[in-house]
Amino acid sequence: MMTKLKIKTGDVVRVIAGDHKGSEGKIVRVNRDKNNAIVEGTNMVSKHTKPSAKSPQGGIVKKEAPIHISNLSLIDPKSKEVTKTGTRIDGDKKVRFSKKSNQVL
């Protein structure tokens, strides 16, 4: 079952729990089925790759691993602090807004 998420691709988030607590980055991809997201530059893991046509050398590659949504918190672009989000109707559009600064995201 797919759940409604409070974050989107492109949002800037802070990791609030786990080994990478405190690190910030932009969301690269969101997986709604597994409730996790890949954040740029955080939760880096070493992946061993076999030699192939794409990488003839093979070796160890650093890449981002997914982080569970519950361990991420959205950063308000105005105050640069973590914030919760809400939705409201502006005219005929439904928009997300920061509950801390009341600014549309």
Side-chain angles (χ1 to χ4, degrees):
M1 164 149 175
M2 285 208 221
T3 55
K4 176 76 176 127
L5 303 178
K6 302 280 187 177
I7 60 174
K8 292 180 176 179
T9 303
D11 284 346
V12 179
V13 293
R14 181 176 295 152
V15 181
I16 57 171
D19 293 340
H20 302 278
K21 181 177 180 177
S23 60
E24 297 177 7
K26 190 181 281 193
I27 293 183
V28 179
R29 190 165 65 239
V30 176
N31 185 346
R32 289 178 58 194
D33 294 327
K34 295 184 179 176
N35 280 344
N36 58 28
I38 294 178
V39 181
E40 203 173 70
T42 60
N43 202 19
M44 299 297 280
V45 293
S46 300
K47 184 160 174 61
H48 295 260
T49 57
K50 290 173 84 173
S52 66
K54 193 173 182 183
S55 61
Q57 185 65 36
I60 301 170
V61 178
K62 289 269 197 189
K63 63 181 276 184
E64 293 110 349
I67 303 173
H68 198 270
I69 296 289
S70 65
N71 296 332
L72 300 175
S73 188
L74 187 70
I75 294 179
D76 183 22
K78 189 175 182 184
S79 64
K80 304 290 186 220
E81 293 180 24
V82 294
T83 182
K84 291 183 178 180
T85 62
T87 57
R88 66 177 174 220
I89 308 290
D90 273 1
D92 59 346
K93 274 197 159 180
K94 187 175 179 183
V95 294
R96 282 190 318 159
F97 71 97
S98 164
K99 290 200 173 178
K100 202 162 257 188
S101 67
N102 210 21
Q103 184 181 15
V104 175
L105 299 171

